[in-house]
Amino acid sequence: MNKQLIMLPGDGVGPEIMESAKVVLNTVASEYGHTFTYHQHAIGGDAIDRYETPLPEETINACQNSDAILLGAVGGSKWDSLPGHMRPEKGLLGIRKTLGLFANLRPVKGFAPLLHTSPLKEEIIKDSDILIIRELTGGLYFGKPSERRDNAVVDTLSYHRSEMERIIDKAFQSARLRNNHLTSVDKANVLESSRLWREIVDEKSKDYPDVTVEHELVDAAAMKLITQPKQFDVIVTENLFGDILSDEASVLTGSLGMLPSASIRSDGVGLYEPVHGSAPDIAGKGVVNPLGMILSVALMLRHSFQLEEEAAKIEKAVNECLEQGYHTADLHIEGGKQVGTKEITKMVVDHITSNSVSDCICSMYA
């Protein structure tokens, strides 16, 4: 496999975690015979400083001709005084819109050594593993009109059937990569848009007879994420509900530094980034946690390139590092050892290569 990857380090700790991503990708390429060619471009505050825009045309053109994009982080207090259209975050929003990245994938998985940091009781969050799929380009955030009228205000929740169909298809396809269980979240007892959403889910379910489908109202889903998170596998929902539920779910595991995310479209091209921010206060100190970025690499391999074995190998390596007690400053493992960015990246790499050797030996005697 030969893939062209765009690297957008961005701001703050972005360049450091991007370097970790590259190290892991080079290891995977060596282990499996792939070729990844990297092209680095500017976005966010870095682009503002260099090109006076958060999203240069050069970056857009490069992304449009890539197989996938990796993003570090954007933003920081340095640019807080700039007008809205010049803020670093406009670069991220702009590239999502330009590339038509309509599906946001947010995995939320509890790692056993970190469960004690969850706000939930350990027995509730233990073994939870959820993938939230949020529609990203439609709904209340983009509907027109959206305006004030004298002493009144109006926002419009608007979707075309095709916009619902493509995100629902993506959810069914993702469920097939996991445990064949899909929960569709709506507000069909109140909203006409949700009633159409539910109808389409039921129609699509006939094309995926191996996937079990359940419907949940959004308020009930929000409650069950707290009380019964293990009952969920893949959750699919529209933009506003997905925004709220994914943020709720992100705190369940106790660490934002461990969470990857993806924004993708139907042909598999996607933008992959960790959930955490740019953390300018620790930039350049070698202490940032790169595991969210490394797990975003695994997401890219799985969802853009269908390299399931390689993705699973990375995830296993991350888990083994944590189980052995190694962690960065933002994490806490009782009796563990705190290490820096480069050290934990090397440990992940060592586990990837050692697992490959073990797999090879086992296959010889199978």
Side-chain angles (χ1 to χ4, degrees), residues 1 14 26 39 68 154-155 176 183 212 223 281 284 296 306 350:
M1 180 170 285
N26 286 340
H39 308 274
V154 59
D155 286 305
R176 278 182 164 173
T183 302
T212 300
M223 177 185 67
D281 56 317
S296 295
Q306 291 73 54
D350 289 345

Side-chain angles (χ1 to χ4, degrees), residues 208-265:
Y208 303 89
D210 51 324
V211 177
T212 300
V213 178
E214 293 182 347
H215 296 283
E216 285 280 4
L217 297 176
V218 63
D219 42 348
M223 177 185 67
K224 290 180 180 178
L225 269 177
I226 299 298
T227 58
Q228 305 171 51
K230 288 191 285 262
Q231 85 160 52
F232 296 110
D233 182 30
V234 177
I235 296 173
V236 64
T237 191
E238 58 89 66
N239 204 343
L240 176 62
F241 299 159
D243 191 2
I244 296 169
L245 293 179
S246 61
D247 279 359
E248 177 190 8
S250 70
V251 303
L252 300 185
T253 59
S255 174
L256 287 177
M258 296 298 301
L259 298 179
S261 73
S263 301
I264 61 179
R265 63 191 193 199

Side-chain angles (χ1 to χ4, degrees), residues 109 111-118 250 253-259 276 282 287-292 295 318-319 321-323 325-340 344 348:
K109 181 177 181 179
F111 291 90
L114 303 175
L115 293 183
H116 66 281
T117 62
S118 171
S250 70
T253 59
S255 174
L256 287 177
M258 296 298 301
L259 298 179
H276 65 73
I282 60 171
V287 298
V288 62
N289 180 359
L291 297 181
L295 291 170
V318 168
N319 190 59
C321 287
L322 296 172
E323 288 183 340
Y326 295 102
H327 63 92
T328 46
D330 62 310
L331 307 176
H332 175 69
I333 297 177
E334 295 180 8
K337 181 180 179 181
Q338 182 176 314
V339 294
I344 203 162
V348 171

Side-chain angles (χ1 to χ4, degrees), residues 148-217:
R148 297 188 181 190
R149 299 173 177 175
D150 297 325
N151 291 320
V153 64
V154 59
D155 286 305
T156 302
L157 200 171
S158 176
Y159 272 112
H160 190 277
R161 167 180 277 268
S162 62
E163 293 177 297
M164 294 184 177
E165 289 177 336
R166 65 184 183 180
I167 190 70
I168 291 167
D169 267 323
K170 176 58 68 176
F172 273 107
Q173 293 159 11
S174 298
R176 278 182 164 173
L177 292 174
R178 291 167 56 93
N179 298 310
N180 292 304
H181 186 273
L182 177 64
T183 302
S184 173
V185 174
D186 59 39
K187 193 63 176 172
N189 59 336
V190 175
L191 301 176
E192 192 60 38
S193 59
S194 285
R195 285 189 275 274
L196 176 58
W197 177 282
R198 187 172 291 207
E199 290 171 12
I200 293 173
V201 170
D202 288 337
E203 291 172 6
K204 290 289 184 182
S205 67
K206 298 173 184 177
D207 298 329
Y208 303 89
D210 51 324
V211 177
T212 300
V213 178
E214 293 182 347
H215 296 283
E216 285 280 4
L217 297 176

Side-chain angles (χ1 to χ4, degrees), residues 11-13 44-46 48-49 74-83 86-89 277-283:
D11 310 320
V13 298
D46 173 50
I48 293 170
D49 289 348
V74 297
S77 57
K78 177 181 179 181
W79 303 280
D80 281 351
S81 61
L82 295 177
M86 281 290 289
R87 295 290 291 272
E89 294 78 11
S278 63
D281 56 317
I282 60 171

